[in-house]
Amino acid sequence: DIQLTQSPSSLSASVGDRVTITCRASQDIRNDLGWYQQQPGKAPKRLIYDGSTLQSGVPSRFSGSGSGTELTLTISSLQPEDFATYFCLQYNRYPRTFGQGTKVEIK
Amino acid sequence: EVQLVESGGDFVQPGGSLRLSCAASGFTFSNDWMDWVRQAPGKGLEWVANMKYDGSEKYYLDSVKGRFTISRDNAKNSLFLQMNSLRAEDTAVYYCSRYLGDWGQGTLVTVSS
């Protein structure tokens, strides 16, 4: 199975900060990766697919980059509604696997 | 607007069975792969199974193979997950998803004695 390791596992940041979350894969997944945001008690919401394609309706402050074994989610200017948990998901191989999550908290 | 509504979650004893349903609307259900993903309380997300639009391909997480069966009824725009021989570690909110892009609100399955 492909292991996805997200870093950091949690972070504290302020409104307006630039935030970067990394997802490292145990093998090459090309850009077959999505990024999701999950608010407490809610279903995940996809932000990015195919590594860098912004989901329709998602603010442009979210961006994805990278390919192969290291992919990154960047929030250019953190907003109050962005405090949540973020997950990466690979769909290059079965079984699909998720990263363990990154909790973004208010500093 | 895409809508996915799961149902069928319940409290069940170990070894028991449940059948989850997902009613889909707002898109051409018969054209899309569909997935089930679960989330144990306070834990991360875990992909469970998926199925091709015509039912010709199905894939499962190893830990549910032989116990869970994914199926669909394209005439009724519905996705199903038959869960047998349930274990405590199957306790989770189960989400259905279209292409892992659109998600339902989830249904809670609790396996406990």
Side-chain angles (χ1 to χ4, degrees), chain A residues 36 38 42-43 46 89 94 98, chain B residues 39 45 50 59 100-101 104:
Chain A
Y36 296 79
Q38 189 176 33
K42 300 290 188 183
R46 189 167 67 180
L89 160 74
Y94 285 104
F98 288 87
Chain B
Q39 187 169 35
L45 296 161
N50 74 359
Y59 299 91
L100 295 170

Side-chain angles (χ1 to χ4, degrees), chain A residues 29-36 46-55 64-67 71-72 89-92, chain B residues 99:
Chain A
I29 57 170
R30 303 186 306 180
N31 64 342
D32 297 331
L33 185 118
W35 288 98
Y36 296 79
R46 189 167 67 180
L47 305 172
I48 301 282
Y49 61 95
D50 294 346
S52 61
T53 302
L54 193 67
Q55 182 77 27
S65 62
S67 65
L71 294 94
T72 299
L89 160 74
Q90 69 79 22
Y91 43 87
N92 181 263
Chain B
Y99 269 143

Side-chain angles (χ1 to χ4, degrees), chain A residues 19-87:
Chain A
V19 167
T20 299
I21 300 168
T22 298
C23 187
R24 290 185 175 84
S26 58
Q27 57 186 273
D28 187 348
I29 57 170
R30 303 186 306 180
N31 64 342
D32 297 331
L33 185 118
W35 288 98
Y36 296 79
Q37 177 194 68
Q38 189 176 33
Q39 302 285 1
K42 300 290 188 183
K45 172 187 174 184
R46 189 167 67 180
L47 305 172
I48 301 282
Y49 61 95
D50 294 346
S52 61
T53 302
L54 193 67
Q55 182 77 27
S56 175
V58 172
S60 58
R61 63 180 179 273
F62 292 94
S63 63
S65 62
S67 65
T69 60
E70 186 166 317
L71 294 94
T72 299
L73 173 71
T74 299
I75 310 172
S76 60
S77 177
L78 202 62
Q79 297 302 299
E81 60 268 31
D82 301 338
F83 292 95
T85 300
Y86 294 83
F87 295 92

Side-chain angles (χ1 to χ4, degrees), chain B:
Chain B
E1 179 194 3
V2 172
Q3 283 205 320
L4 298 166
V5 180
E6 302 93 336
S7 60
D10 206 344
F11 185 100
V12 62
Q13 292 190 333
S17 298
L18 276 178
R19 187 189 197 213
L20 305 184
S21 299
C22 173
S25 61
F27 64 102
T28 306
F29 181 76
S30 58
N31 285 355
D32 288 339
W33 284 76
M34 295 293 295
D35 294 75
W36 287 100
V37 176
R38 67 185 180 184
Q39 187 169 35
K43 303 296 185 183
L45 296 161
E46 184 174 54
W47 176 85
V48 174
N50 74 359
M51 186 170 187
K52 195 174 180 179
Y53 42 84
D54 61 0
S56 62
E57 294 181 43
K58 305 177 187 181
Y59 299 91
Y60 295 93
L61 182 67
D62 277 353
S63 62
V64 308
K65 275 182 191 173
R67 300 189 299 123
F68 290 11
T69 302
I70 189 171
S71 63
R72 63 194 295 160
D73 183 339
N74 285 345
K76 295 184 177 179
N77 292 342
S78 295
L79 180 73
F80 306 101
L81 187 67
Q82 178 66 44
M83 304 188 296
N84 299 331
S85 303
L86 282 161
R87 306 168 180 167
E89 55 265 34
D90 297 318
T91 294
V93 173
Y94 284 73
Y95 296 101
C96 77
S97 174
R98 172 196 179 217
Y99 269 143
L100 295 170
D102 299 299
W103 295 61
Q105 85 291 346
T107 188
L108 177 62
V109 172
T110 303
V111 185
S112 175
S113 54

